Amino acid sequence: MRHTTVLVVGLALSLTVGAAGQPPAAPQTTTPQPPPPQNPWANKFFLPDIATNREQAAPAQIVHNFGEVPHGTLCTQKFTITNIYDEPMQITEVRKTCTCLDYIPMNKVLRPNEAADFTITMNTGKFAGSNTQTFYVTFGPKFVSTAVIKVTATSRSEVNINPGGVNFGAIPLGTRSSQSVTIKYSGRSRDWKLTEVVPVQGPFEVKLTEVSRGGPLRGGAEYQVDVAIKPTAAPGPISEQISIKTNDSTHPMVQLIVTGSITAPLELAPNKVRLDPVAVGQSTSQRVSIRAAKPFTVQGIDGAGDGISVELPPLGLPGAPVPNVQVITIKFDPTVPGTVNRILRIRTDLEGGTANLPVEAVGLKP
């Protein structure tokens, strides 16, 4: 038997094998990534402790949850805005994502370290169930940033408040004014009750009255809450909360917001005068407007002296209508260097129509 020998001569091949028997990865090209977005620095204005802790980072957004409230409740939250920067700041625009949101305009320019209140509201009468919406509050004008405020509330359908809060508007000083609110319960509990009013801190008198009840076979109850402003209330804005206890352990409290303003007979703008420093032998002045709810006449001003004088508004022609806004001019003519502080007392022909105006001036060496 013949044997054939076959000689196989292979070619030498070079093969590079990667880890785990896989081909090597292709070279990677590094693509620059944009920096992560920064949180709006204007959000820091709304932090409750920003005045004492200015170095804390700005949060992504400001969040406030009103919780579960009766349908129709006008939820209110007051933020204190503090300008922690060296530039004057003011609100230039406010945008909101729902008609259920509103706010009280803050037109004041905040100087460095100044603070002011910014109040927002959410009307739960415009939705049912849980609702989350957003305010966008822009500050400027030199440096611009937009704060993001996210608010949430859950509108309970079995309890209804009408109207959703008590708004007295403008009330003259010394006047008694009252309003009523209806609270209805339409749930299944046959013994649901408003039990008592938590003692109030503001200048109010609150009366709670049960108007009707569904009876032993069906649930339901209706209450009337009467809120009155005391005549002794001091001038200024009103923003208070009235709490009423219930016998429902899951929702033990119903709360009412009370807003308004007690107006003094006379309102001064500005209500304090700081005159520019002026050298002896020169003079400076500033105008002050006096506003009242009805026409009046300035009868005199007490307290001038030490270089401070007052120019009264001119008398009108006989028979001409008397305005409810008058303008006086505060003048300072220093005779010696130094600081002068005086309290001017403005007298008018209105009942109780007096007001005090602090004045500060500085005389410089010539």
Side-chain angles (χ1 to χ4, degrees), residues 14 183 229 263 275 297 308 336 341:
S14 175
I183 300 178
I229 291 284
T263 59
L275 294 164
T297 300
I308 293 178
V336 295
N341 289 286

Side-chain angles (χ1 to χ4, degrees), residues 264-267 290-299 313 316 319-327 347-354:
L266 299 179
E267 295 182 3
I290 309 170
R291 180 183 297 273
K294 56 184 180 180
F296 70 97
T297 300
V298 177
Q299 294 183 325
V322 179
N324 64 343
V325 178
Q326 305 272 0
V327 176
R347 295 180 285 106
T348 71
D349 59 349
L350 297 176
E351 182 179 355
T354 62

